[in-house]
Amino acid sequence: MESIRIYLGGFSVFIKIERGAVMKMKDKVVMITGAAGGIGKYLSIRLAEEGALLALCDINETSLKEVRVLCENKGAQVFTKVVAVENEDENKAFVNEVVDKFHKIDALINLAIAIDTPHSFLDHTIATLDKSYRTGLVSTWHMMRLCYPHLKETNGNIVNFGSAAGYLGLEGYAAYAAIKEGIRGLSRVVAREWGKDGITVNVVNPGAITDNIKNYMSTLPEEQRDPGLLGFKETAVGHFGDVYKDVAPVIIFLASSESKYLTGQTFNVDGGVVMNA
């Protein structure tokens, strides 16, 4: 807080001005599936800095605890639960516990999906497809339906996730790409149906090098540690994105009240790999 002096008709008046950034998500309850992953971790930290009340789930208990501590160190209230998102009953229990704790849901961010390392379509199996289908499309389906009444009460926002793998048809990602395009189609339908209820639904196609990708590349021979070999395309801005600095702010905008006139859209946050101007 800072005081400044102004003069009005010969009188000296002090006015107090509060300096500092406004928290976009102050006291907003944000649910994130797949919160312990590469994008989920840094998105959660950024949301904590923006004043959000966080409800985080993931299948990886150790990494989820790490994210919780990082967010609590930022001053956030955090509820975490280990959830197998392909299981509707576990999703239902998660939503119910979040509402019991925070009494509302303002935003749902569906990050969870299981993905195999890239391999050709002919080497894919139905089991490969089913894993991405159940952890990605089915979990997104369930979570949106379960959160609907709570999001309707708050005029809430949903952010789902596509991928350049589907948008551009990247080799080696047949199952993942198919599921991600399914999520985009589902998002457009729900955006139309729920718009009258004040709920927005948008999709982010993120392009960034996450911790998971870095860790995977570190296991490869040095000559294979090239993001391009994993399907990453050259960006127009000359560098690959950072989740915390480049991707998380866009997701937070779409989860906030500032984006209420946007719905049914896909945002390619990838440094210009995909251009639709």
Side-chain angles (χ1 to χ4, degrees), residues 31-33 56-61 64 79-99 134-135 138-139 142-143 146-147:
M31 295 185 65
I32 307 177
T33 69
L56 313 177
C57 79
D58 202 281
I59 194 64
N60 187 324
E61 183 174 10
L64 189 60
F79 171 77
T80 57
K81 186 176 179 66
V82 175
V83 175
V85 291
E86 64 272 29
N87 186 306
E88 184 178 8
D89 290 337
E90 292 191 28
N91 290 333
K92 188 179 298 183
F94 176 49
V95 172
N96 289 340
E97 289 177 49
V98 170
V99 174
R134 294 191 178 281
T135 57
V138 172
S139 70
H142 285 325
M143 287 300 295
L146 290 167
C147 290

Side-chain angles (χ1 to χ4, degrees), residues 1-268:
M1 192 76 72
E2 178 181 344
S3 295
I4 63 172
R5 185 199 302 258
I6 63 173
Y7 292 91
L8 296 171
F11 293 95
S12 177
V13 180
F14 284 96
I15 297 178
K16 290 185 177 181
I17 297 177
E18 189 168 352
R19 303 289 186 185
V22 175
M23 290 184 173
K24 267 186 192 148
M25 303 300 289
K26 179 70 173 172
D27 297 329
K28 299 292 186 181
V29 177
V30 182
M31 295 185 65
I32 307 177
T33 69
I39 292 177
K41 174 182 176 179
Y42 292 102
L43 173 60
S44 297
I45 293 170
R46 190 96 189 207
L47 280 163
E49 293 171 346
E50 292 285 356
L53 307 174
L54 296 172
L56 313 177
C57 79
D58 202 281
I59 194 64
N60 187 324
E61 183 174 10
T62 300
S63 296
L64 189 60
K65 286 181 179 177
E66 177 192 348
V67 173
R68 176 175 185 151
V69 170
L70 290 169
C71 293
E72 288 178 337
N73 288 343
K74 297 289 184 179
Q77 291 186 52
V78 187
F79 171 77
T80 57
K81 186 176 179 66
V82 175
V83 175
V85 291
E86 64 272 29
N87 186 306
E88 184 178 8
D89 290 337
E90 292 191 28
N91 290 333
K92 188 179 298 183
F94 176 49
V95 172
N96 289 340
E97 289 177 49
V98 170
V99 174
D100 286 344
K101 179 174 179 61
F102 293 122
H103 310 296
K104 64 172 184 169
I105 298 170
D106 293 288
L108 168 65
I109 299 174
N110 286 306
L111 273 166
I113 189 171
I115 178 175
D116 286 343
T117 53
H119 54 287
S120 74
F121 174 49
L122 291 178
D123 288 333
H124 272 62
T125 65
I126 289 298
T128 307
L129 177 62
D130 192 60
K131 179 167 68 173
S132 290
Y133 167 67
R134 294 191 178 281
T135 57
L137 182 58
V138 172
S139 70
T140 297
W141 176 292
H142 285 325
M143 287 300 295
M144 288 198 297
R145 289 167 61 92
L146 290 167
C147 290
Y148 167 74
H150 310 293
L151 292 169
K152 184 177 179 181
E153 287 183 3
T154 59
N155 288 340
N157 299 18
I158 298 172
V159 184
N160 294 328
F161 287 80
S163 172
Y167 204 86
L168 296 177
L170 301 183
E171 294 180 41
Y173 293 95
Y176 182 72
I179 299 313
K180 286 298 188 180
E181 287 298 281
I183 289 172
R184 288 208 312 131
L186 173 63
S187 299
R188 291 192 294 270
V189 171
V190 177
R192 287 199 186 277
E193 293 187 0
W194 292 0
K196 64 182 181 298
D197 297 319
I199 300 170
T200 67
V201 186
N202 289 292
V203 176
V204 170
N205 285 351
I209 305 297
T210 66
D211 288 352
N212 291 345
I213 294 169
K214 290 176 185 175
N215 292 338
Y216 172 67
M217 288 196 297
S218 71
T219 68
L220 301 174
E222 189 170 349
E223 65 275 10
Q224 295 180 23
R225 296 175 189 175
D226 177 2
L229 298 176
L230 296 178
F232 283 86
K233 303 292 186 182
E234 185 176 351
T235 67
V237 299
H239 63 86
F240 292 116
D242 176 88
V243 175
Y244 178 85
K245 292 190 299 184
D246 302 316
V247 178
V250 179
I251 300 169
I252 292 171
F253 167 70
L254 293 173
S256 77
S257 59
E258 294 182 352
S259 65
K260 292 308 293 183
Y261 202 57
L262 293 171
T263 196
Q265 306 301 313
T266 294
F267 295 85
N268 296 295

